[in-house]
Coordinates of all heavy atoms in Angstrom, one line a residue:
M1 N 126.4 182.6 5.9 CA 126.4 183.1 4.5 C 127.7 183.9 4.3 O 128.1 184.7 5.2 CB 125.2 183.8 4.3 CG 125.3 185.3 3.9 SD 123.8 186.2 3.7 CE 122.5 185.5 4.7
I2 N 128.3 183.8 3.1 CA 129.5 184.6 2.8 C 129.2 185.9 2.2 O 128.4 186.0 1.2 CB 130.4 183.8 1.9 CG1 130.9 182.6 2.6 CG2 131.6 184.6 1.4 CD1 131.7 181.6 1.7
L3 N 129.6 187.0 2.8 CA 129.3 188.4 2.3 C 130.4 188.9 1.4 O 130.2 189.7 0.5 CB 129.2 189.3 3.5 CG 128.1 189.0 4.4 CD1 128.1 190.1 5.6 CD2 126.7 189.0 3.7
G4 N 131.6 188.4 1.6 CA 132.7 189.0 0.8 C 134.0 188.1 1.0 O 134.3 187.5 2.0
V5 N 134.8 188.1 -0.1 CA 136.1 187.4 -0.1 C 137.1 188.3 -0.7 O 136.8 189.0 -1.7 CB 136.0 186.1 -0.9 CG1 137.3 185.4 -1.0 CG2 134.9 185.2 -0.3
G6 N 138.3 188.3 -0.2 CA 139.4 189.1 -0.8 C 140.7 188.4 -0.5 O 140.9 187.7 0.5
A54 N 149.0 193.3 3.0 CA 148.1 192.5 2.2 C 146.8 192.2 2.9 O 145.7 192.1 2.1 CB 149.0 191.1 2.0
A55 N 146.8 192.1 4.2 CA 145.4 191.9 4.9 C 144.5 193.0 4.7 O 143.3 192.9 4.5 CB 145.6 191.6 6.3
K56 N 145.0 194.2 4.7 CA 144.2 195.4 4.5 C 143.7 195.4 3.1 O 142.5 195.9 2.9 CB 145.1 196.7 4.9 CG 145.4 196.8 6.4 CD 146.4 198.0 6.6 CE 146.8 197.9 8.1 NZ 146.1 198.8 9.0
E57 N 144.5 195.2 2.2 CA 144.1 195.1 0.8 C 143.0 194.1 0.6 O 142.0 194.4 -0.1 CB 145.3 194.9 -0.2 CG 146.3 196.0 -0.3 CD 145.9 196.9 -1.4 OE1 144.7 196.8 -2.0 OE2 146.6 197.8 -1.7
A58 N 143.2 192.9 1.1 CA 142.3 191.9 1.0 C 141.0 192.1 1.7 O 139.8 191.8 1.1 CB 142.9 190.5 1.6
C59 N 141.0 192.8 2.8 CA 139.8 193.2 3.5 C 139.0 194.2 2.7 O 137.8 194.1 2.6 CB 140.1 193.7 4.9 SG 138.8 194.1 5.9
S60 N 139.8 195.2 2.2 CA 139.0 196.2 1.4 C 138.3 195.5 0.1 O 137.2 195.9 -0.3 CB 140.0 197.3 0.9 OG 140.9 196.8 -0.1
K61 N 138.9 194.5 -0.4 CA 138.3 193.8 -1.5 C 137.1 193.0 -1.0 O 136.1 193.0 -1.7 CB 139.3 192.8 -2.2 CG 140.4 193.6 -2.9 CD 141.5 192.7 -3.3 CE 142.7 193.4 -4.0 NZ 143.8 192.5 -4.2
A62 N 137.2 192.4 0.2 CA 136.1 191.7 0.7 C 134.9 192.6 1.1 O 133.8 192.1 0.9 CB 136.6 190.9 1.9
L63 N 135.2 193.8 1.4 CA 134.1 194.8 1.7 C 133.5 195.2 0.4 O 132.5 196.0 0.4 CB 134.8 196.0 2.4 CG 135.1 195.7 3.9 CD1 135.9 196.8 4.4 CD2 133.9 195.4 4.7
D75 N 141.6 202.0 9.2 CA 140.2 201.6 9.5 C 140.2 200.1 9.6 O 139.3 199.5 10.1 CB 139.2 202.0 8.5 CG 138.8 203.5 8.6 OD1 139.2 204.1 9.6 OD2 138.2 203.9 7.6
M76 N 141.3 199.4 9.1 CA 141.4 198.0 9.2 C 142.7 197.7 9.9 O 143.7 198.1 9.5 CB 141.4 197.4 7.8 CG 140.3 197.7 6.9 SD 140.6 197.4 5.2 CE 141.6 198.8 4.7
A77 N 142.6 196.9 11.0 CA 143.9 196.6 11.8 C 143.9 195.1 12.1 O 142.9 194.5 12.4 CB 143.7 197.4 13.1
V78 N 145.1 194.6 12.0 CA 145.3 193.2 12.3 C 146.0 193.0 13.6 O 146.9 193.8 13.9 CB 146.2 192.5 11.2 CG1 146.5 191.1 11.6 CG2 145.6 192.6 9.9
S79 N 145.4 192.2 14.5 CA 146.1 191.9 15.8 C 146.1 190.4 15.9 O 145.6 189.7 15.0 CB 145.3 192.6 16.9 OG 144.1 192.1 17.0
L81 N 145.3 186.9 18.5 CA 144.8 186.3 19.8 C 146.0 185.7 20.5 O 147.1 185.5 19.9 CB 143.8 185.2 19.4 CG 142.5 185.7 18.8 CD1 141.7 184.5 18.4 CD2 141.8 186.7 19.5
Q85 N 146.6 183.4 16.4 CA 145.6 183.6 15.3 C 145.4 185.0 15.0 O 145.1 185.8 15.9 CB 144.3 182.9 15.7 CG 143.2 183.1 14.6 CD 141.9 182.5 15.1 OE1 141.8 181.8 16.0 NE2 140.9 182.9 14.3
P86 N 145.5 185.4 13.7 CA 145.3 186.8 13.4 C 143.8 187.1 13.4 O 143.0 186.2 13.0 CB 145.9 186.9 11.9 CG 145.8 185.5 11.4 CD 146.0 184.6 12.6
V87 N 143.5 188.4 13.8 CA 142.1 188.8 13.7 C 142.1 190.1 13.1 O 143.1 190.9 13.3 CB 141.4 188.8 15.1 CG1 141.2 187.4 15.6 CG2 142.2 189.6 16.1
M88 N 141.1 190.5 12.4 CA 140.9 191.8 11.8 C 139.8 192.7 12.5 O 138.7 192.1 12.8 CB 140.5 191.7 10.3 CG 140.2 192.9 9.6 SD 141.7 193.8 9.1 CE 142.4 192.7 7.9
R89 N 140.2 193.8 12.9 CA 139.2 194.8 13.6 C 139.0 196.0 12.7 O 140.0 196.5 12.1 CB 139.9 195.3 14.9 CG 138.9 196.1 15.8 CD 139.6 196.7 17.0 NE 140.5 197.8 16.7 CZ 141.8 197.7 16.7 NH1 142.4 196.6 16.9 NH2 142.6 198.7 16.4
L90 N 137.7 196.2 12.5 CA 137.4 197.3 11.6 C 136.8 198.5 12.3 O 136.0 198.3 13.3 CB 136.2 196.9 10.6 CG 136.6 195.6 9.7 CD1 135.6 195.3 8.7 CD2 138.0 195.9 9.0
T91 N 137.2 199.7 12.0 CA 136.7 200.9 12.6 C 136.3 201.9 11.5 O 136.5 201.6 10.3 CB 137.7 201.6 13.6 OG1 138.9 201.8 12.7 CG2 138.1 200.7 14.7
A94 N 135.2 201.6 7.4 CA 135.2 200.2 7.1 C 134.2 199.4 7.9 O 133.4 198.5 7.5 CB 136.6 199.6 7.3
A95 N 134.0 199.8 9.2 CA 133.1 199.3 10.1 C 131.6 199.6 9.6 O 130.7 198.8 9.7 CB 133.3 199.8 11.5
R96 N 131.5 200.9 9.2 CA 130.2 201.3 8.6 C 129.8 200.4 7.4 O 128.7 200.0 7.2 CB 130.1 202.7 8.4 CG 130.2 203.7 9.6 CD 129.8 205.1 9.4 NE 130.8 205.7 8.6 CZ 132.0 206.2 9.0 NH1 132.3 206.1 10.3 NH2 132.8 206.9 8.3
R97 N 130.8 200.3 6.5 CA 130.5 199.5 5.3 C 130.1 198.0 5.7 O 129.2 197.4 5.1 CB 131.8 199.5 4.4 CG 131.7 198.5 3.2 CD 130.7 199.0 2.2 NE 130.7 198.0 1.1 CZ 129.7 197.7 0.4 NH1 128.5 198.2 0.6 NH2 129.8 196.7 -0.5
L98 N 130.9 197.4 6.7 CA 130.5 196.1 7.1 C 129.1 196.0 7.7 O 128.4 195.1 7.4 CB 131.5 195.7 8.2 CG 131.4 194.3 8.7 CD1 131.6 193.2 7.5 CD2 132.4 194.0 9.8
A99 N 128.7 197.0 8.5 CA 127.4 197.1 9.0 C 126.3 197.2 7.9 O 125.3 196.5 7.9 CB 127.2 198.3 9.9
M101 N 126.6 195.9 4.9 CA 126.6 194.7 4.2 C 125.9 193.5 5.0 O 125.5 192.5 4.4 CB 128.0 194.2 4.0 CG 128.8 195.0 3.1 SD 130.6 194.5 3.0 CE 130.5 192.8 2.4
T102 N 125.8 193.7 6.3 CA 125.3 192.6 7.1 C 123.8 192.6 7.2 O 123.3 193.6 7.5 CB 125.9 192.8 8.5 OG1 127.3 192.9 8.4 CG2 125.5 191.6 9.4
E107 N 125.2 188.7 12.6 CA 126.5 189.4 13.0 C 127.5 189.0 11.9 O 127.5 188.0 11.3 CB 126.9 188.9 14.3 CG 127.3 187.5 14.4 CD 127.8 187.0 15.7 OE1 128.4 187.8 16.4 OE2 127.7 185.8 16.1
A108 N 128.4 190.0 11.7 CA 129.5 189.8 10.7 C 130.7 189.3 11.5 O 131.0 189.8 12.5 CB 129.8 191.1 10.0
I109 N 131.3 188.3 10.8 CA 132.6 187.8 11.4 C 133.6 187.9 10.2 O 133.3 187.5 9.1 CB 132.5 186.3 11.7 CG1 131.3 186.0 12.6 CG2 133.8 185.7 12.3 CD1 131.3 186.5 13.9
V110 N 134.7 188.6 10.5 CA 135.9 188.7 9.6 C 136.9 187.7 9.8 O 137.6 187.8 10.9 CB 136.3 190.2 9.6 CG1 137.5 190.4 8.6 CG2 135.2 191.2 9.4
H111 N 137.1 186.8 9.0 CA 138.1 185.8 9.1 C 139.4 186.2 8.3 O 139.2 186.8 7.2 CB 137.7 184.4 8.5 CG 136.5 183.9 9.2 ND1 136.5 183.3 10.4 CD2 135.2 184.0 8.9 CE1 135.2 183.0 10.7 NE2 134.4 183.4 9.8
V112 N 140.5 186.1 8.8 CA 141.8 186.5 8.1 C 142.8 185.4 8.3 O 142.9 184.9 9.4 CB 142.3 187.8 8.6 CG1 142.6 187.9 10.0 CG2 143.5 188.4 7.8
S113 N 143.5 185.1 7.2 CA 144.6 184.1 7.3 C 145.9 184.9 6.5 O 145.7 185.5 5.5 CB 144.3 183.0 6.5 OG 145.3 182.0 6.4
L114 N 147.0 184.7 7.2 CA 148.2 185.4 6.7 C 149.3 184.3 6.5 O 149.4 183.3 7.3 CB 148.8 186.4 7.7 CG 147.8 187.5 8.2 CD1 148.5 188.2 9.4 CD2 147.3 188.3 7.0
A123 N 147.6 187.4 2.1 CA 146.5 187.4 3.0 C 145.2 187.0 2.4 O 145.1 187.3 1.1 CB 146.3 188.8 3.7
F124 N 144.3 186.4 3.1 CA 143.0 186.0 2.6 C 142.0 186.4 3.6 O 142.2 186.1 4.8 CB 143.0 184.4 2.5 CG 141.7 183.9 1.9 CD1 141.4 183.9 0.5 CD2 140.7 183.4 2.7 CE1 140.3 183.5 0.0 CE2 139.6 182.9 2.2 CZ 139.3 183.0 0.8
V125 N 141.0 187.1 3.2 CA 139.9 187.6 4.1 C 138.6 187.1 3.6 O 138.3 187.2 2.5 CB 139.9 189.1 4.2 CG1 138.7 189.6 5.0 CG2 141.2 189.6 4.9
L126 N 137.8 186.5 4.5 CA 136.4 186.1 4.3 C 135.6 186.8 5.3 O 135.8 186.7 6.5 CB 136.4 184.6 4.4 CG 135.0 184.0 4.1 CD1 135.1 182.8 3.2 CD2 134.3 183.7 5.3
I127 N 134.5 187.4 4.8 CA 133.5 188.0 5.7 C 132.2 187.1 5.6 O 131.6 186.9 4.6 CB 133.2 189.4 5.3 CG1 134.5 190.3 5.3 CG2 132.1 190.0 6.3 CD1 134.2 191.7 4.7
E128 N 131.9 186.6 6.9 CA 130.8 185.8 7.0 C 129.7 186.5 7.8 O 129.9 187.3 8.7 CB 131.2 184.5 7.9 CG 130.1 183.6 8.4 CD 130.6 182.7 9.4 OE1 131.8 182.8 9.9 OE2 129.8 181.7 9.7
A129 N 128.4 186.2 7.4 CA 127.2 186.7 8.2 C 126.7 185.5 8.9 O 126.3 184.5 8.3 CB 126.2 187.4 7.3
R130 N 126.6 185.5 10.2 CA 126.2 184.5 11.0 C 124.9 184.9 11.8 O 124.9 186.0 12.3 CB 127.2 184.1 12.0 CG 127.0 182.8 12.9 CD 128.1 182.6 13.7 NE 129.3 182.3 13.0 CZ 130.6 182.3 13.6 NH1 130.7 182.6 14.9 NH2 131.7 182.1 12.9

Side-chain angles (χ1 to χ4, degrees):
M1 116 185 29
I2 296 173
L3 297 179
V5 175
K56 291 168 188 270
E57 287 273 9
C59 185
S60 71
K61 293 171 185 175
L63 289 168
D75 286 348
M76 302 166 287
V78 177
S79 61
L81 298 175
Q85 177 184 346
V87 293
M88 179 74 71
R89 185 182 76 256
L90 304 182
T91 59
R96 289 189 297 278
R97 171 68 180 148
L98 182 61
M101 294 171 61
T102 306
E107 65 176 332
I109 311 293
V110 180
H111 303 276
V112 61
S113 180
L114 306 173
F124 183 83
V125 172
L126 183 137
I127 301 175
E128 170 191 11
R130 189 177 296 166

